[in-house]
Amino acid sequence: AQSVTQLGSHVSVSEGALVLLRCNYSSSVPPYLFWYVQYPNQGLQLLLKYTSAATLVKGINGFEAEFKKSETSFHLTKPSAHMSDAAEYFCAVSDPLSGSARQLTFGSGTQLTVLP
Amino acid sequence: DAEITQSPRHKITETGRQVTLACHQTWNHNNMFWYRQDLGHGLRLIHYSYGVQDTNKGEVSDGYSVSRSNTEDLPLTLESAASSQTSVYFCASSEGNTQYFGPGTRLTVL
């Protein structure tokens, strides 16, 4: 079974600073990995996904993530934070080779605060 | 545009009552999912369906049921609501590996 750990339930950055949200996964096979963003009182929106193609994945709103097999990580970054990036971010994993490939297992989320 | 909707958006009910939360998608996706979101737990899978007449239990299915009579809808029923089921509920659908989420239903059980 796969699992995801998000380090840091709350992260604060200043506007214009680098955003780094950490995600480590556990999977017995190369996984599919996802980052979702949730704005207040809304559903989850896909930011980006890794599905075994390029290890550096670019997403919406200037975010990107790099799949590092040796570190079992899929950290989310953005070079310069904007006030509108304040939201909760979820990392998720699926096992593409299992019968439950369509299911996602989510991390517990990281609340990003952007300070003016 | 295709979309996924949930109703009601907010619901207050009493312990022991039966409650049904609706989920409707116009993507024509075969796969549909129900999650609950609680602080510190992220999203946990309650039930899922891979097509009409197909339903499966997820990680936290006790006290919940679903039925799939058509492609568009997957209603979630709480047979006898408990205070522990106070949560925000999200429905999602997918065709392939990307799930698309509804706006959520905030359920309070008093």
Short mmCIF file of all heavy atoms in Angstrom, two decimals, chain A residues 32 34 36 38 41-44 46 49 51 90 100 102-104 106-108, chain B residues 9 31 33 35 37 40-43 45 48 50 90 97-99 101-103:
data_model
loop_
_atom_site.label_atom_id
_atom_site.label_comp_id
_atom_site.label_asym_id
_atom_site.label_seq_id
_atom_site.Cartn_x
_atom_site.Cartn_y
_atom_site.Cartn_z
N TYR A 32 2.25 7.18 -9.37
CA TYR A 32 1.80 8.44 -9.92
C TYR A 32 1.66 9.39 -8.72
O TYR A 32 1.19 8.98 -7.65
CB TYR A 32 0.44 8.31 -10.62
CG TYR A 32 0.48 7.59 -11.94
CD1 TYR A 32 -0.70 7.24 -12.59
CD2 TYR A 32 1.68 7.26 -12.57
CE1 TYR A 32 -0.69 6.57 -13.82
CE2 TYR A 32 1.70 6.60 -13.79
CZ TYR A 32 0.51 6.26 -14.40
OH TYR A 32 0.52 5.61 -15.61
N PHE A 34 0.59 13.51 -7.35
CA PHE A 34 -0.26 14.65 -7.66
C PHE A 34 -0.10 15.70 -6.57
O PHE A 34 0.11 15.39 -5.40
CB PHE A 34 -1.74 14.23 -7.70
CG PHE A 34 -2.04 13.10 -8.64
CD1 PHE A 34 -1.77 11.79 -8.28
CD2 PHE A 34 -2.61 13.35 -9.88
CE1 PHE A 34 -2.04 10.73 -9.15
CE2 PHE A 34 -2.89 12.30 -10.75
CZ PHE A 34 -2.61 11.00 -10.38
N TYR A 36 -2.59 18.89 -5.32
CA TYR A 36 -3.86 19.60 -5.44
C TYR A 36 -3.81 20.83 -4.53
O TYR A 36 -3.16 20.83 -3.48
CB TYR A 36 -5.02 18.72 -4.99
CG TYR A 36 -5.48 17.70 -6.01
CD1 TYR A 36 -4.85 16.46 -6.12
CD2 TYR A 36 -6.56 17.96 -6.85
CE1 TYR A 36 -5.29 15.52 -7.04
CE2 TYR A 36 -7.00 17.01 -7.78
CZ TYR A 36 -6.36 15.80 -7.86
OH TYR A 36 -6.80 14.86 -8.77
N GLN A 38 -6.40 23.67 -2.49
CA GLN A 38 -7.77 23.93 -2.03
C GLN A 38 -7.84 25.35 -1.47
O GLN A 38 -7.21 25.65 -0.45
CB GLN A 38 -8.19 22.92 -0.96
CG GLN A 38 -9.63 23.10 -0.51
CD GLN A 38 -10.03 22.12 0.58
OE1 GLN A 38 -9.20 21.68 1.38
NE2 GLN A 38 -11.30 21.76 0.61
N ASN A 41 -13.27 27.20 1.32
CA ASN A 41 -14.67 26.87 0.97
C ASN A 41 -14.83 26.40 -0.47
O ASN A 41 -15.89 26.58 -1.08
CB ASN A 41 -15.57 28.07 1.23
CG ASN A 41 -15.56 28.48 2.68
OD1 ASN A 41 -15.67 27.64 3.57
ND2 ASN A 41 -15.38 29.76 2.93
N GLN A 42 -13.78 25.81 -1.01
CA GLN A 42 -13.84 25.27 -2.36
C GLN A 42 -13.37 23.82 -2.38
O GLN A 42 -12.82 23.31 -1.41
CB GLN A 42 -13.00 26.11 -3.32
CG GLN A 42 -13.49 27.52 -3.51
CD GLN A 42 -12.70 28.26 -4.58
OE1 GLN A 42 -12.13 27.64 -5.48
NE2 GLN A 42 -12.69 29.57 -4.49
N GLY A 43 -13.60 23.16 -3.51
CA GLY A 43 -13.08 21.82 -3.71
C GLY A 43 -11.62 21.85 -4.08
O GLY A 43 -11.00 22.91 -4.13
N LEU A 44 -11.06 20.67 -4.34
CA LEU A 44 -9.65 20.57 -4.69
C LEU A 44 -9.47 20.75 -6.19
O LEU A 44 -10.26 20.28 -7.00
CB LEU A 44 -9.09 19.20 -4.29
CG LEU A 44 -8.68 19.05 -2.84
CD1 LEU A 44 -9.88 19.04 -1.92
CD2 LEU A 44 -7.87 17.77 -2.66
N LEU A 46 -6.55 20.43 -9.34
CA LEU A 46 -5.27 19.84 -9.68
C LEU A 46 -4.26 20.92 -10.06
O LEU A 46 -4.51 21.76 -10.92
CB LEU A 46 -5.43 18.86 -10.85
CG LEU A 46 -4.16 18.15 -11.28
CD1 LEU A 46 -3.70 17.16 -10.21
CD2 LEU A 46 -4.37 17.43 -12.61
N LYS A 49 0.78 16.93 -12.00
CA LYS A 49 0.86 15.50 -11.75
C LYS A 49 2.09 14.90 -12.42
O LYS A 49 2.55 15.40 -13.45
CB LYS A 49 -0.40 14.78 -12.23
CG LYS A 49 -0.63 14.86 -13.73
CD LYS A 49 -1.92 14.13 -14.12
CE LYS A 49 -2.18 14.24 -15.63
NZ LYS A 49 -3.45 13.55 -16.02
N THR A 51 3.38 11.31 -13.97
CA THR A 51 2.90 9.99 -14.39
C THR A 51 3.97 9.25 -15.18
O THR A 51 3.70 8.66 -16.23
CB THR A 51 1.61 10.11 -15.21
OG1 THR A 51 1.87 10.97 -16.33
CG2 THR A 51 0.46 10.67 -14.40
N PHE A 90 -2.39 19.74 -1.02
CA PHE A 90 -2.40 18.31 -0.74
C PHE A 90 -1.57 17.56 -1.76
O PHE A 90 -1.73 17.75 -2.97
CB PHE A 90 -3.83 17.76 -0.77
CG PHE A 90 -4.71 18.26 0.33
CD1 PHE A 90 -5.52 19.36 0.14
CD2 PHE A 90 -4.72 17.61 1.56
CE1 PHE A 90 -6.33 19.82 1.16
CE2 PHE A 90 -5.54 18.06 2.59
CZ PHE A 90 -6.35 19.17 2.39
N SER A 100 -6.33 -0.92 -7.92
CA SER A 100 -6.91 0.33 -7.41
C SER A 100 -6.19 1.53 -7.97
O SER A 100 -6.07 2.56 -7.32
CB SER A 100 -6.86 0.34 -5.88
OG SER A 100 -5.52 0.20 -5.45
N ARG A 102 -6.96 3.72 -9.93
CA ARG A 102 -7.73 4.95 -10.05
C ARG A 102 -7.92 5.65 -8.71
O ARG A 102 -8.43 6.75 -8.65
CB ARG A 102 -9.08 4.62 -10.68
CG ARG A 102 -8.97 4.24 -12.16
CD ARG A 102 -10.18 3.49 -12.66
NE ARG A 102 -10.14 2.09 -12.30
CZ ARG A 102 -10.97 1.17 -12.79
NH1 ARG A 102 -11.90 1.53 -13.64
NH2 ARG A 102 -10.89 -0.10 -12.41
N GLN A 103 -7.53 5.00 -7.61
CA GLN A 103 -7.71 5.60 -6.29
C GLN A 103 -6.52 6.46 -5.92
O GLN A 103 -5.39 6.20 -6.32
CB GLN A 103 -7.87 4.51 -5.24
CG GLN A 103 -9.12 3.68 -5.40
CD GLN A 103 -9.21 2.62 -4.35
OE1 GLN A 103 -8.83 2.83 -3.19
NE2 GLN A 103 -9.69 1.45 -4.73
N LEU A 104 -6.77 7.48 -5.14
CA LEU A 104 -5.73 8.36 -4.62
C LEU A 104 -5.64 8.21 -3.10
O LEU A 104 -6.66 8.08 -2.43
CB LEU A 104 -6.02 9.82 -4.95
CG LEU A 104 -6.00 10.24 -6.42
CD1 LEU A 104 -6.38 11.70 -6.55
CD2 LEU A 104 -4.63 9.98 -7.02
N PHE A 106 -4.22 10.49 -0.02
CA PHE A 106 -3.83 11.88 0.21
C PHE A 106 -2.97 12.02 1.46
O PHE A 106 -3.12 11.27 2.43
CB PHE A 106 -5.07 12.75 0.39
CG PHE A 106 -5.78 13.06 -0.90
CD1 PHE A 106 -6.74 12.19 -1.40
CD2 PHE A 106 -5.50 14.21 -1.60
CE1 PHE A 106 -7.39 12.46 -2.58
CE2 PHE A 106 -6.15 14.50 -2.79
CZ PHE A 106 -7.10 13.62 -3.28
N GLY A 107 -2.08 13.02 1.42
CA GLY A 107 -1.41 13.46 2.63
C GLY A 107 -2.36 14.31 3.46
O GLY A 107 -3.49 14.61 3.04
N SER A 108 -1.89 14.71 4.62
CA SER A 108 -2.76 15.44 5.55
C SER A 108 -2.85 16.93 5.24
O SER A 108 -3.61 17.64 5.90
CB SER A 108 -2.28 15.24 6.99
OG SER A 108 -0.93 15.62 7.11
N ARG B 9 -25.04 22.31 -0.06
CA ARG B 9 -23.69 22.77 0.28
C ARG B 9 -23.48 22.77 1.79
O ARG B 9 -22.36 22.59 2.26
CB ARG B 9 -23.45 24.17 -0.28
CG ARG B 9 -23.43 24.24 -1.79
CD ARG B 9 -22.22 23.48 -2.40
NE ARG B 9 -20.97 23.78 -1.75
CZ ARG B 9 -20.22 24.83 -2.03
NH1 ARG B 9 -20.59 25.69 -2.97
NH2 ARG B 9 -19.08 25.02 -1.39
N ASN B 31 -15.70 6.69 -13.26
CA ASN B 31 -15.22 6.57 -11.88
C ASN B 31 -15.72 7.73 -11.03
O ASN B 31 -15.59 8.89 -11.41
CB ASN B 31 -13.69 6.57 -11.85
CG ASN B 31 -13.09 5.57 -12.81
OD1 ASN B 31 -13.60 4.47 -12.96
ND2 ASN B 31 -12.00 5.96 -13.46
N PHE B 33 -16.08 9.04 -6.69
CA PHE B 33 -15.52 8.82 -5.36
C PHE B 33 -16.19 9.74 -4.36
O PHE B 33 -16.56 10.87 -4.70
CB PHE B 33 -14.01 9.13 -5.36
CG PHE B 33 -13.23 8.43 -6.43
CD1 PHE B 33 -13.17 8.96 -7.71
CD2 PHE B 33 -12.55 7.26 -6.16
CE1 PHE B 33 -12.44 8.32 -8.71
CE2 PHE B 33 -11.82 6.61 -7.15
CZ PHE B 33 -11.78 7.15 -8.42
N TYR B 35 -15.21 11.34 -0.49
CA TYR B 35 -14.22 11.53 0.55
C TYR B 35 -14.82 12.35 1.68
O TYR B 35 -15.74 13.14 1.48
CB TYR B 35 -13.02 12.32 0.02
CG TYR B 35 -12.22 11.68 -1.07
CD1 TYR B 35 -12.55 11.87 -2.41
CD2 TYR B 35 -11.11 10.89 -0.78
CE1 TYR B 35 -11.80 11.29 -3.43
CE2 TYR B 35 -10.34 10.32 -1.79
CZ TYR B 35 -10.70 10.53 -3.10
OH TYR B 35 -9.95 9.95 -4.10
N GLN B 37 -13.30 15.11 4.66
CA GLN B 37 -12.12 15.89 5.01
C GLN B 37 -12.24 16.35 6.44
O GLN B 37 -13.18 17.06 6.81
CB GLN B 37 -11.96 17.11 4.09
CG GLN B 37 -10.70 17.91 4.38
CD GLN B 37 -10.56 19.11 3.47
OE1 GLN B 37 -11.53 19.66 2.97
NE2 GLN B 37 -9.32 19.53 3.25
N GLY B 40 -6.32 17.58 10.02
CA GLY B 40 -5.23 16.69 10.38
C GLY B 40 -5.24 15.35 9.68
O GLY B 40 -4.30 14.56 9.83
N HIS B 41 -6.30 15.08 8.91
CA HIS B 41 -6.42 13.77 8.24
C HIS B 41 -6.40 13.88 6.72
O HIS B 41 -6.40 12.87 6.03
CB HIS B 41 -7.70 13.07 8.66
CG HIS B 41 -7.69 12.59 10.08
ND1 HIS B 41 -7.08 11.42 10.48
CD2 HIS B 41 -8.21 13.14 11.20
CE1 HIS B 41 -7.22 11.27 11.79
NE2 HIS B 41 -7.90 12.29 12.25
N GLY B 42 -6.39 15.06 6.19
CA GLY B 42 -6.49 15.17 4.75
C GLY B 42 -7.83 14.66 4.27
O GLY B 42 -8.85 14.82 4.94
N LEU B 43 -7.84 14.01 3.12
CA LEU B 43 -9.06 13.42 2.58
C LEU B 43 -8.99 11.91 2.72
O LEU B 43 -7.97 11.31 2.37
CB LEU B 43 -9.24 13.78 1.11
CG LEU B 43 -9.86 15.14 0.82
CD1 LEU B 43 -8.85 16.25 1.04
CD2 LEU B 43 -10.41 15.18 -0.60
N LEU B 45 -10.99 8.25 1.85
CA LEU B 45 -11.94 7.66 0.92
C LEU B 45 -13.04 6.90 1.64
O LEU B 45 -12.76 6.02 2.47
CB LEU B 45 -11.20 6.73 -0.05
CG LEU B 45 -11.99 6.10 -1.17
CD1 LEU B 45 -12.54 7.17 -2.13
CD2 LEU B 45 -11.11 5.12 -1.94
N TYR B 48 -16.39 4.24 -3.41
CA TYR B 48 -16.10 4.59 -4.80
C TYR B 48 -16.84 3.65 -5.74
O TYR B 48 -17.28 2.55 -5.33
CB TYR B 48 -14.61 4.59 -5.08
CG TYR B 48 -13.89 3.28 -4.84
CD1 TYR B 48 -13.62 2.41 -5.87
CD2 TYR B 48 -13.47 2.94 -3.55
CE1 TYR B 48 -12.95 1.22 -5.65
CE2 TYR B 48 -12.81 1.75 -3.32
CZ TYR B 48 -12.55 0.89 -4.36
OH TYR B 48 -11.89 -0.29 -4.12
N TYR B 50 -16.77 2.34 -10.02
CA TYR B 50 -16.09 2.34 -11.31
C TYR B 50 -17.09 2.22 -12.47
O TYR B 50 -16.67 2.02 -13.62
CB TYR B 50 -15.06 1.23 -11.38
CG TYR B 50 -13.84 1.45 -10.50
CD1 TYR B 50 -13.05 0.38 -10.11
CD2 TYR B 50 -13.47 2.71 -10.07
CE1 TYR B 50 -11.92 0.56 -9.32
CE2 TYR B 50 -12.35 2.91 -9.28
CZ TYR B 50 -11.58 1.83 -8.90
OH TYR B 50 -10.46 2.02 -8.11
N PHE B 90 -16.55 15.54 0.11
CA PHE B 90 -16.25 15.87 -1.28
C PHE B 90 -16.52 14.68 -2.18
O PHE B 90 -16.14 13.54 -1.87
CB PHE B 90 -14.78 16.28 -1.43
CG PHE B 90 -14.47 17.62 -0.86
CD1 PHE B 90 -13.91 17.73 0.40
CD2 PHE B 90 -14.74 18.77 -1.58
CE1 PHE B 90 -13.63 18.98 0.94
CE2 PHE B 90 -14.46 20.02 -1.05
CZ PHE B 90 -13.91 20.12 0.21
N ASN B 97 -6.32 8.93 -14.68
CA ASN B 97 -5.69 9.09 -13.37
C ASN B 97 -5.93 10.44 -12.71
O ASN B 97 -5.44 10.68 -11.61
CB ASN B 97 -4.18 8.83 -13.49
CG ASN B 97 -3.55 9.71 -14.56
OD1 ASN B 97 -3.77 10.92 -14.57
ND2 ASN B 97 -2.77 9.12 -15.44
N THR B 98 -6.68 11.34 -13.32
CA THR B 98 -6.91 12.66 -12.71
C THR B 98 -8.32 12.75 -12.18
O THR B 98 -9.29 12.54 -12.91
CB THR B 98 -6.66 13.77 -13.73
OG1 THR B 98 -5.31 13.70 -14.18
CG2 THR B 98 -6.92 15.13 -13.10
N GLN B 99 -8.43 13.09 -10.89
CA GLN B 99 -9.75 13.25 -10.28
C GLN B 99 -10.14 14.73 -10.26
O GLN B 99 -9.31 15.60 -10.00
CB GLN B 99 -9.74 12.69 -8.86
CG GLN B 99 -9.59 11.18 -8.84
CD GLN B 99 -9.79 10.56 -7.47
OE1 GLN B 99 -10.34 11.19 -6.56
NE2 GLN B 99 -9.35 9.33 -7.30
N PHE B 101 -12.88 17.43 -8.55
CA PHE B 101 -13.63 17.50 -7.30
C PHE B 101 -14.80 18.48 -7.37
O PHE B 101 -14.73 19.52 -8.02
CB PHE B 101 -12.70 17.92 -6.16
CG PHE B 101 -11.80 16.82 -5.71
CD1 PHE B 101 -10.66 16.50 -6.42
CD2 PHE B 101 -12.10 16.08 -4.58
CE1 PHE B 101 -9.83 15.46 -6.02
CE2 PHE B 101 -11.28 15.05 -4.16
CZ PHE B 101 -10.15 14.74 -4.88
N GLY B 102 -15.86 18.13 -6.64
CA GLY B 102 -16.95 19.04 -6.43
C GLY B 102 -16.62 20.06 -5.35
O GLY B 102 -15.56 19.99 -4.73
N PRO B 103 -17.55 20.99 -5.09
CA PRO B 103 -17.28 22.08 -4.14
C PRO B 103 -17.42 21.68 -2.68
O PRO B 103 -17.02 22.45 -1.79
CB PRO B 103 -18.33 23.12 -4.51
CG PRO B 103 -19.45 22.32 -5.07
CD PRO B 103 -18.82 21.17 -5.79
#
